[in-house]
Amino acid sequence: MTFTIAIDGPAAAGKGTLSRRIADVYGFHHLDTGLTYRATAKALLDAGLPLDDEAVAETTALTLDLAGLDRAVLAKHEVGEAASKVAVMPAVRRALVEAQRAFAAKEPGTVLDGRDIGTVVCPDAPVKLYVTASPEVRARRRYDEIIASGNAADFDAVFADVKKRDERDMGRADSPLKPAEDAHLLDTSEMGIEAAFQAAKSIVDAALNR
């Protein structure tokens, strides 16, 4: 039987880094579900297809190969902007949620991170984590990341973008970002990745031992 770990939280809270590390330590499969929306949007862009046609976007989402998600390519800003347009389409969300659920069934276990894993995609996951941090801390991390990669950034613009994404994610009608009722809350505002990982690991270990 497979063991699923659902990790949700807002942008730049550290859930991606944490998820990959947890998957690595336990030998589980990992899926960043946000990349599935980005991959759908990129496929539309590459084919010169419209971003506002729900039927076309749904067909693209249904044929997506989850094995070929390239984080470096999909992280580009224009792909993210396109993804935010297709991610609000109910038909696209339904198609990708089904694909994500199929992924979650892989043995021996899976770690899925995103915005609606514990609430919608895998509501029966034995471990649910909600990883968060203050908007200021998350904007600072994102800003530092951009600067470290050799690009220019304006902190106020990054901060505004983080707040805009929070409003969009938490305010949407379909699968809004919120912690599942039985999720463990991990606030990483004052926490390094090592402390966050150890806190998460103790929760996972306790569930595995039950």
Side-chain angles (χ1 to χ4, degrees):
M1 192 163 144
T2 191
F3 186 92
T4 302
I5 300 169
I7 303 183
D8 292 306
K15 67 181 181 297
T17 306
L18 189 62
S19 302
R20 289 191 295 276
R21 180 138 178 221
I22 290 170
D24 201 35
V25 164
Y26 292 98
F28 288 178
H29 305 277
H30 171 252
L31 179 65
D32 174 347
T33 60
L35 293 184
T36 65
Y37 292 95
R38 285 173 172 263
T40 302
K42 186 174 187 302
L44 292 168
L45 291 171
D46 289 351
L49 294 167
L51 293 171
D52 57 358
D53 187 323
E54 190 163 350
V56 170
E58 180 189 19
T59 303
T60 305
L62 286 166
T63 56
L64 195 65
D65 177 12
L66 297 192
L69 304 177
D70 186 332
R71 174 177 301 281
V73 173
L74 297 173
K76 293 194 168 118
H77 182 71
E78 63 273 18
V79 177
E81 287 299 303
S84 70
K85 295 188 174 88
V86 300
V88 295
M89 298 173 176
V92 171
R93 298 198 74 83
R94 280 195 300 273
L96 292 178
V97 164
E98 283 312 308
Q100 291 158 15
R101 282 180 180 150
F103 182 94
K106 285 183 169 195
E107 292 184 349
T110 52
V111 181
L112 283 79
D113 74 81
R115 304 284 195 276
D116 60 352
I117 312 304
T119 53
V120 174
V121 182
C122 301
D124 298 325
V127 173
K128 296 176 194 169
L129 301 174
Y130 189 84
V131 184
T132 189
S134 73
E136 291 81 6
V137 167
R138 290 186 287 119
R140 174 60 59 191
R141 286 175 186 162
R142 181 58 54 84
Y143 173 81
D144 290 344
E145 223 173 63
I146 297 167
I147 297 299
S149 66
N151 295 304
D154 173 67
F155 177 77
D156 291 337
V158 173
F159 184 49
D161 187 55
V162 162
K163 290 207 291 189
K164 187 176 82 180
R165 283 187 68 176
D166 284 354
E167 282 165 20
R168 190 168 65 209
D169 290 338
M170 293 172 186
R172 65 170 176 246
D174 197 0
S175 310
L177 168 66
K178 62 180 181 183
E181 283 180 17
D182 54 347
H184 297 270
L185 191 68
L186 269 186
D187 190 326
T188 67
S189 299
E190 308 287 327
M191 210 185 261
I193 186 62
E194 188 56 40
F197 169 71
Q198 292 302 336
K201 187 175 183 297
S202 65
I203 293 165
V204 174
D205 286 344
L208 281 167
N209 291 329
R210 275 204 290 274

